[in-house]
Amino acid sequence: MPVEPSSTPVILTGDRTTGPLHLGHYAGSLRNRVALQHDHRQYLLLADAQALTDNAHDPGRVARNVIEVATDYLAVGIDPALTTICVQSALPALAELTLLYLNFVTVARLERNPTIKDEIQARGFGRDIPAGFLCYPAAQAADITAFRATLVPVGEDQAPLIEQTNEIVRRLNRQVAGTLGHDLLPEARALIPEVGRLPGVDGRAKMSKSGGNAVPLSASDAEINASVQRMYTDPGHLRASDPGRVEGNVVFTYLDAFDPDPEAVAALKAEYRRGGLGDAALKRRLEGVLRDLLGPIRERRAVLARDPDFVMDVLRTGTGRARTVTAATWDAVQDALGLFRLA
Ligand code: TRP
């Protein structure tokens, strides 16, 4: 059964299920996804199989966090009536496509992938790189193409994975061009947020749970307070009356990312630069902004946590829908390539 390319933009994105999501995820992609779900066909993948590529020693953690991340999605406003939320390991077509795609990439190309190179460094694998980890770009290509996604909203660090996906897509399309007459799979485009990555509360470039500098979406008011108090401002700004620096000031970076009133933030910046705005007052403002943002998310999270059957039901329905879509793609790929089909 040939599947014709559709004109509605299809979005696929996902998260490794290694821990609950935090403010960095919110600024970098979650709020985009909430906005995009209204006029796109959107799929969210709970990437538990990918999470195992560097967590095989702790599969329990990966499994537990499937529900945690799904709960985060629902708490921030992902609507299961608009977005299909699905579980990677429960979609056999993804594994089937991965196994095929591994024949369309070289080990050298995988080793050159800048994302993989950075992540291997960061994880300190040395020479002991799990093969599944080195090869996960082929699996991510399977994720993206199985849904025929054309838009992939991700952080900048993921761009090389989309590029490698498109290389596989072009190879396959070229190979079947003569017989098929149209593209077998669409190429995908990374949708990278304009605002840069949200730094950690300690000012380090990346917010991460393992780095101990993250604000989880479930943070209590006390945790919000502690995080904001830790934040680095301008070390030269000793008295409220001193002129202060706004660039590189983590509190302002967060206000830029989350304050619903950018004009008020611009006025605060002017006052800070001039001298006269103290760090304590500045931090109070951010604390209020984060409480207003995270309070309702935390409450929805608490309601969902009391109803695990509801969350499981969302995953069952979404994964069922995703199974149909991804199996159709695997079918079309088998046909186009002329793979053996057991009659
Ligand atoms: N690699 C992504 C991350 O680490 C997670 C992911 C898995 C993903 N499959 C995907 C993202 C497909 C976009 C599309 O966050």
Side-chain angles (χ1 to χ4, degrees):
M1 186 191 60
V3 179
E4 293 303 324
S6 119
S7 54
T8 342
V10 176
I11 293 185
L12 170 82
T13 155
D15 296 280
R16 293 183 193 177
T17 59
T18 52
L21 303 181
H22 54 60
L23 267 184
H25 295 111
Y26 186 78
S29 71
L30 290 175
R31 68 176 158 193
N32 254 341
R33 301 175 191 177
V34 173
L36 288 165
Q37 66 184 342
H38 297 284
D39 43 11
H40 295 80
R41 191 165 340 135
Q42 180 164 259
Y43 296 93
L44 291 188
L45 188 65
L46 294 155
D48 59 340
Q50 189 179 109
L52 278 182
T53 64
D54 59 345
N55 285 281
H57 58 281
D58 194 0
R61 170 171 171 215
V62 171
R64 270 193 311 280
N65 280 297
V66 171
I67 294 289
E68 289 297 315
V69 176
T71 305
D72 285 332
Y73 288 168
L74 296 170
V76 299
I78 295 292
D79 178 350
L82 300 173
T83 295
T84 301
I85 305 176
C86 53
V87 181
Q88 188 178 41
S89 63
L91 298 169
L94 301 184
E96 291 165 324
L97 282 165
T98 300
L99 201 53
L100 174 71
Y101 290 175
L102 284 171
N103 305 308
F104 287 85
V105 291
T106 64
V107 172
R109 175 65 180 90
L110 290 163
E111 286 171 341
R112 269 201 314 277
N113 185 308
T115 307
I116 299 296
K117 266 167 81 167
D118 288 352
E119 291 181 344
I120 286 173
Q121 272 283 333
R123 284 161 180 71
F125 283 140
R127 290 182 49 78
D128 299 320
I129 307 163
F133 188 84
L134 180 66
C135 297
Y136 93 71
Q140 193 152 324
D143 299 342
I144 294 168
T145 56
F147 290 92
R148 302 181 165 274
T150 49
L151 273 183
V152 186
V154 282
E156 203 172 358
D157 60 307
Q158 297 280 303
L161 294 164
I162 317 298
E163 209 173 295
Q164 197 165 2
T165 297
N166 288 335
E167 285 176 28
I168 295 172
V169 166
R170 285 193 291 269
R171 276 199 62 178
L172 283 162
N173 283 341
R174 213 179 309 125
Q175 183 161 323
V176 302
T179 47
L180 204 58
H182 60 81
D183 280 344
L184 173 60
L185 298 167
E187 291 189 36
R189 188 162 65 80
L191 193 66
I192 293 164
E194 275 161 42
V195 291
R197 178 149 76 184
L198 191 73
V201 297
D202 57 357
R204 272 186 298 154
K206 189 175 177 184
M207 176 179 283
S208 73
K209 187 163 179 262
S210 57
N213 62 359
V215 183
L217 293 177
S218 59
S220 65
D221 285 348
E223 287 169 313
I224 292 171
N225 174 274
S227 294
V228 172
Q229 288 316 317
R230 261 180 82 192
M231 275 181 199
Y232 165 96
T233 55
D234 168 5
H237 185 243
L238 298 176
R239 280 175 302 267
S241 55
D242 291 340
R245 277 174 57 88
V246 164
E247 290 71 30
N249 185 319
V250 180
V251 181
F252 276 113
T253 307
Y254 276 61
L255 285 173
D256 281 337
F258 301 114
D259 195 312
D261 187 350
E263 276 169 31
V265 174
L268 288 174
K269 284 180 179 172
E271 195 186 345
Y272 197 81
R273 285 199 177 100
R274 215 167 38 232
L277 175 61
D279 282 353
L282 182 66
K283 287 186 166 183
R284 257 195 312 277
R285 166 126 193 152
L286 177 60
E287 206 182 317
V289 166
L290 293 183
R291 280 180 184 220
D292 290 348
L293 173 69
L294 294 180
I297 294 175
R298 187 174 62 232
E299 276 161 36
R300 280 195 297 269
R301 238 191 158 285
V303 171
L304 291 159
R306 285 196 291 273
D307 195 357
D309 288 349
F310 171 77
V311 179
M312 194 60 97
D313 209 47
V314 166
L315 298 189
R316 222 177 355 250
T317 307
T319 305
R321 223 179 296 155
R323 215 175 265 146
T324 308
V325 174
T326 56
T329 302
W330 171 231
D331 225 44
V333 167
Q334 290 179 93
D335 278 348
L337 287 176
L339 303 186
F340 177 76
R341 312 295 297 270
L342 193 62

